[in-house]
Amino acid sequence: MEPLQEELQQRWQRMFAALARGEDLPPGRRLRAEGMAEAAVLLGLATAEELDEIMDKCYYAAFGRPLADDFGEDWRGFTPFPEIPAMARRAPVYPSTAD
């Protein structure tokens, strides 16, 4: 595996593990990884499909299910490459007033 792919794998593992623990994910971490993935494809070091497969394995390791289970089989239709479907859980919202 190329060093850039290894770095992306480590970043995805850390991102998805943090989300699985219920932590927030700063947008900069996600955006930097997206840029790295795009650079890997532009430089011919990997294909988008290869990187998606690695990312799916990282997601599975953190959540115990593939990306398609949470985002649908056509998840790339909604989050085009190089976007990472990394969403924090919704925070519970409680009304502060009676109205």
Side-chain angles (χ1 to χ4, degrees), residues 44-79:
L45 302 174
T47 65
E49 294 77 18
E50 289 170 336
L51 294 179
D52 281 350
E53 187 177 318
I54 295 168
M55 182 171 43
D56 192 50
K57 289 178 183 177
C58 295
Y59 190 88
Y60 192 93
F63 290 95
R65 58 190 175 273
L67 285 161
D69 281 6
D70 286 340
F71 301 104
E73 289 294 327
D74 61 344
W75 65 273
R76 268 296 178 214
F78 298 102
T79 54

Side-chain angles (χ1 to χ4, degrees), residues 5-43:
Q5 289 174 317
E6 289 178 17
E7 180 63 27
L8 275 169
Q9 181 176 358
Q10 291 172 9
R11 288 178 186 223
W12 288 329
Q13 286 170 341
R14 287 190 302 266
M15 278 192 264
F16 293 135
L19 291 171
R21 290 189 303 267
E23 297 173 11
D24 194 16
L25 181 64
R29 286 178 57 194
R30 191 190 87 241
L31 294 170
R32 284 191 296 276
E34 290 172 354
M36 289 177 70
E38 186 172 20
V41 170
L42 290 173
L43 293 171

